[in-house]
Amino acid sequence: MRALMCEHHGPPEELQFRDVAVPEPGPGEVRFRVRAASVNFPDALMIQNLYQRQPPLPFIPGSEAAGVVDAVGEGVTGLRVGDRVATIPFEGAFAEYATAPAFRTTVIPDDMGFDVAAGFTMVYATALHGLRQRGRLRPGETLLVLGAAGGVGLAAVEVGKMIGAHVIAAASTDEKLALARAHGADQAVNYSETDLKQAVKALTGDRGVDVIFDPVGGALAEPAFRTMGWDGRYLVVGFAAGTIPAIPLNLPLVKTASIVGVTWGMHSRREPEIHAENMAQLYAWYAEGGLRPEVSKHFPFEESREAIRWMMDRKVQGKIVIEVAA
């Protein structure tokens, strides 16, 4: 099979296409013919040796994909050859065939295209796990989403609305905010043109927000935290800005607020039953039309390196997808 290989750590332009053996599924795994793969921020980090979980060299990058099951490993139940699935292998998706754990593989709705499915699980499952299990978001509460036009940020906007929250979207351009509004955000803040803290305080009547969903980090973290209301929950989702912030610990003290980590990958492994319930809920919301995944750009397989660069340059709105097979 043809695969995009990371043979040494570096920029995406140094990745190479190679002909390699088709992988065999191990116990608890499925193998699938990759139809589409999405590009996620961890993909860009892994090839640079900057991610917390690093596969040994050489490896095939690609953390998320959709396709058709063509082999099932020992002990797998509930999945069979021919199923249309979305899955998270965490590596190996930028290839014609890949294997993935069965517990992170779900059968997709009949009307969901492979391009949509390829970018569905990671962002929506992270958003729902973060907001429901970690953030305890309740109907009527106010949710602030940073990076609200990115893949996981846009998913958090939609999931927050489905839970019944009032959603404030924050992003760096008016174009991105228009996208967030189109996906349900009630209010919007352009943090490149206005003071984030003052703008959110004004929008909430100085009461502050109940939950903050932050996949950005960097310089936005502290001013965002200062918008927190009483008993607020600050969800640490990622660091797309490239730097890990330091929050002065007097802030959660005086606000009686919590700083809560969101690690969906570990959650899905340690609590697969809850993950399965979350996915069932997400597919139900999709069927109702409450979730409208945004695939903003498609790349052919031969342009996989360009797709990763697109992600690294922060040009992504919603999700971008690599079309591996017709």
Side-chain angles (χ1 to χ4, degrees), residues 30-273:
V30 297
R31 184 178 69 203
F32 60 102
R33 177 72 166 98
V34 181
R35 296 289 296 274
S38 71
V39 183
N40 294 285
F41 195 62
D43 302 325
L45 295 178
M46 279 189 192
I47 65 172
Q48 300 174 86
N49 198 25
L50 296 175
Y51 197 57
Q52 60 262 33
R53 177 183 178 274
Q54 281 296 141
L57 293 169
F59 68 93
I60 302 169
S63 54
E64 183 175 25
V68 179
V69 174
D70 85 322
V72 176
E74 180 184 351
V76 173
T77 60
L79 294 167
R80 59 188 180 183
V81 172
D83 281 344
R84 302 172 70 251
V85 296
T87 188
I88 307 290
F90 274 126
E91 63 184 85
F94 298 162
E96 292 176 327
Y97 291 86
T99 60
F103 70 86
R104 278 199 292 261
T105 303
T106 54
V107 177
I108 63 176
D110 292 340
D111 63 345
M112 181 180 278
F114 287 113
D115 60 337
V116 170
F120 187 84
T121 303
M122 188 174 290
V123 293
Y124 282 102
T126 297
L128 183 54
H129 169 57
L131 294 176
R132 176 170 284 174
Q133 279 90 41
R134 304 298 291 151
R136 310 185 320 277
L137 181 66
R138 297 181 291 268
E141 289 191 315
T142 299
L143 166 67
L144 171 63
V145 179
L146 305 183
V152 71
L154 201 59
V157 169
E158 291 190 335
V159 170
K161 290 303 298 179
M162 294 306 295
I163 290 174
H166 179 89
V167 178
I168 301 174
S172 60
T173 70
D174 289 341
E175 179 186 13
K176 291 178 179 180
L177 291 174
L179 179 63
R181 283 187 177 276
H183 283 257
D186 299 289
Q187 295 172 304
V189 176
N190 183 333
Y191 48 63
S192 67
E193 295 183 354
T194 188
D195 182 275
L196 177 64
K197 174 188 171 183
Q198 296 303 321
V200 173
K201 288 272 192 178
L203 290 175
T204 62
D206 210 37
R207 189 188 67 83
V209 301
D210 299 292
V211 176
I212 297 173
F213 188 92
D214 181 10
V216 180
L220 288 175
E222 184 173 333
F225 198 97
R226 291 180 182 275
T227 71
M228 193 83 76
W230 182 260
D231 193 31
R233 288 84 75 196
Y234 186 98
L235 304 181
V236 182
V237 182
F239 311 105
T243 55
I244 299 175
I247 300 291
L249 289 182
N250 65 308
L251 293 180
L253 174 66
V254 299
K255 291 177 174 290
T256 317
S258 303
I259 300 175
V260 185
V262 179
T263 307
W264 168 78
M266 187 61 70
H267 155 73
S268 66
R269 179 179 295 276
R270 295 173 68 94
E271 302 178 286
E273 297 84 3

